Amino acid sequence: MAYMAKIGPSILSSNLACLGSECVRMMECGADYLHLDVMDGHFVPNLTFGHPMVECLRKSVGPDPFFDMHMMVSRPEQWVKPMSAAGANQYTFHLEATTNPGNLIKEIREAGMKVGLAIKPGTTVEELAPWANQIDMALVMTVEPGFGGQKFMDDMMPKVSWIRSQFPSLDIEVDGGVGPDTIHRCAEAGANMIVSGSAVIGNDDPRSVISLLRTVVSEAIQKRSLDR
Ligand code: DX5
Ligand code: ZN
């Protein structure tokens, strides 16, 4: 199978004073990777953390957990090398934040990281398409980036379906308002990398939520491969 269901909790909604142990807890609850939201107060109206925090986190959780860095920053070129040195595995930048995506993709690869390309709700898939063969993952935002706990935008699903139809083996991630109530829509549309913040972290039983999300996505992937 070309792509797999992977669940990546967004630690934005966790107790940030205990980030290390929260990340370990998520991995122990069955997370496939960790989605780390970097915000600069400029590209989005909120502020989180940068590479010094990622470096500490890497030391605290060890070499195994996969760090998907969701870079909600202006001038994403600036942080490629520092993030790689800090232990990031994937650098997911916003198409809206750069004038030269091709060069940035090259720099991320040269720094030894995988490449994710994110689009905000107002950005079309036609704008992403020219880069799709050069990236590892496309991130379709299902809320306006900046805050956890927002309402899922169902009208983003045609974008996911279109990318899946054009690039059948590409990893497609959805982020924002995704949880047990909305996962079926994402899975049917063809998303396979699922970011979930408040629905996982805010639940008393994160293990069950992660497992449910993975089951729904795995079943949709299986169905698609049988239908082909
Ligand atoms: C929002 C962030 C998300 C956020 C998701 O800008 O990119 O990763 O933490 O949180 P929920 O799942 O609560 O929408
Ligand atoms: Zn995110």
Side-chain angles (χ1 to χ4, degrees):
M1 200 160 298
Y3 56 91
M4 282 167 57
K6 290 182 190 158
I7 312 303
S10 159
I11 46 76
L12 188 61
S13 357
S14 65
N15 180 352
L16 295 178
C18 313
L19 207 46
S21 57
E22 283 292 89
C23 286
V24 169
R25 185 169 75 98
M26 286 302 118
M27 294 308 294
E28 284 171 357
C29 284
D32 297 292
Y33 67 102
L34 297 167
H35 177 90
L36 305 180
D37 290 301
V38 175
M39 305 188 189
D40 66 351
H42 187 262
F43 182 73
V44 288
N46 199 3
L47 193 59
T48 56
F49 51 82
H51 56 92
M53 175 78 105
V54 176
E55 188 180 340
C56 295
L57 212 48
R58 178 55 81 198
K59 283 190 187 129
S60 149
V61 303
D64 289 339
F66 185 92
F67 287 178
D68 169 29
M69 305 306 311
H70 182 189
M71 302 299 296
M72 287 166 274
V73 301
S74 302
R75 297 186 52 220
E77 295 79 8
Q78 212 177 346
W79 309 115
V80 172
K81 284 191 183 129
M83 278 298 178
S84 168
N89 302 97
Q90 174 160 290
Y91 197 89
T92 301
F93 67 95
H94 269 268
L95 186 57
E96 305 84 4
T98 180
T99 51
N100 195 341
N103 197 47
L104 183 49
I105 290 170
K106 191 165 152 276
E107 283 175 11
I108 297 168
R109 289 223 184 279
E110 282 170 3
M113 294 181 288
K114 291 180 107 179
V115 180
L117 178 54
I119 51 171
K120 294 207 282 184
T123 304
T124 65
V125 279
E126 284 76 17
E127 292 167 83
L128 179 142
W131 311 106
N133 284 322
Q134 301 176 39
I135 60 177
D136 297 291
M137 186 196 85
L139 164 53
V140 175
M141 289 303 299
T142 43
V143 296
E144 282 299 338
F147 300 91
Q150 302 183 74
K151 189 173 179 295
F152 177 77
M153 296 169 75
D154 192 68
D155 53 345
M156 295 299 117
M157 291 304 98
K159 291 193 198 179
V160 174
S161 306
W162 188 85
I163 300 172
R164 178 55 69 219
S165 70
Q166 300 299 309
F167 305 98
S169 58
L170 186 65
D171 278 325
I172 305 177
E173 186 178 64
V174 282
D175 179 14
V178 181
D181 296 342
T182 50
I183 190 64
H184 289 86
R185 293 286 296 131
C186 302
E188 277 160 23
N192 68 301
M193 291 183 69
I194 308 300
V195 176
S196 185
S198 40
V200 167
I201 309 264
N203 195 285
D204 291 340
D205 187 1
R207 179 183 295 277
S208 302
V209 180
I210 289 172
S211 157
L212 181 148
L213 298 176
R214 192 187 294 104
T215 302
V216 173
V217 176
S218 297
E219 284 175 1
I221 292 173
Q222 210 170 4
K223 183 168 182 298
R224 191 168 300 108
S225 74
L226 292 175
D227 287 351
R228 259 199 257 144

